[in-house]
Amino acid sequence: MRDGGKQDDGAQHDADFARFVADRRPGLLRTALLLTGDRATAEELVQRALTRTRRAWPTPDPLATARRALVAGADRRGLRGEQVLEELPDPLAPAVDDELSRALRALPPRVRAATVLHHADELDAAALAAVLGRPVAEAEAAAAAGAGRLR
């Protein structure tokens, strides 16, 4: 490694994180929109999740880190998140119809998170449990309960 090796690593980490943001922000925004039902709140939640992910960078599973941050922050309000990058692509998150949004908001937070992550993000039971920090059976039960109530 040459003398500037640590700086090179930092630049590589920055580039890797920027790629992660470009690739994953649209999906994270969609998930946050389903969790919150509000575009502005969802965008703030994604910024917070990306900030948390950046602080942990490099991490073995940055998407899981970001999803955990989305779930943890989905019911917090009032604080403004810091901007992770000055220029982000403005993804067009698919519109969530009002009926679905109201139905999701009526679910308890953990059930809503399990439902969104399992059905919209297609997480399997093990990944869902890891993101929620709950046993597999509990995570599966929450996702099933949410799907049942949405039907």
Side-chain angles (χ1 to χ4, degrees), residues 73-150:
D75 286 328
R76 295 183 191 148
R77 301 281 188 263
L79 298 174
R80 303 306 278 163
E82 77 183 73
Q83 185 73 20
V84 175
L85 298 174
E86 289 184 18
E87 293 183 28
L88 291 174
D90 187 19
L92 298 174
V96 176
D97 72 35
D98 289 338
E99 186 178 352
L100 176 58
S101 181
R102 278 191 301 276
L104 283 168
R105 295 298 298 157
L107 297 174
R110 285 283 173 185
V111 172
R112 180 182 337 121
T115 303
V116 168
L117 293 169
H118 181 66
H119 295 284
D121 287 356
E122 300 179 349
L123 293 188
D124 64 26
L128 179 62
V131 169
L132 295 177
R134 301 286 186 219
V136 172
E138 187 178 323
E140 286 181 311
R149 289 196 44 200
L150 290 177

Side-chain angles (χ1 to χ4, degrees), residues 23-32 46 63 67 70 91 121:
D23 292 345
R24 296 301 186 164
R25 187 174 185 275
L28 291 170
L29 183 56
R30 179 175 166 267
T31 299
V46 169
L63 186 55
R67 284 178 170 149
L70 288 179
D121 287 356

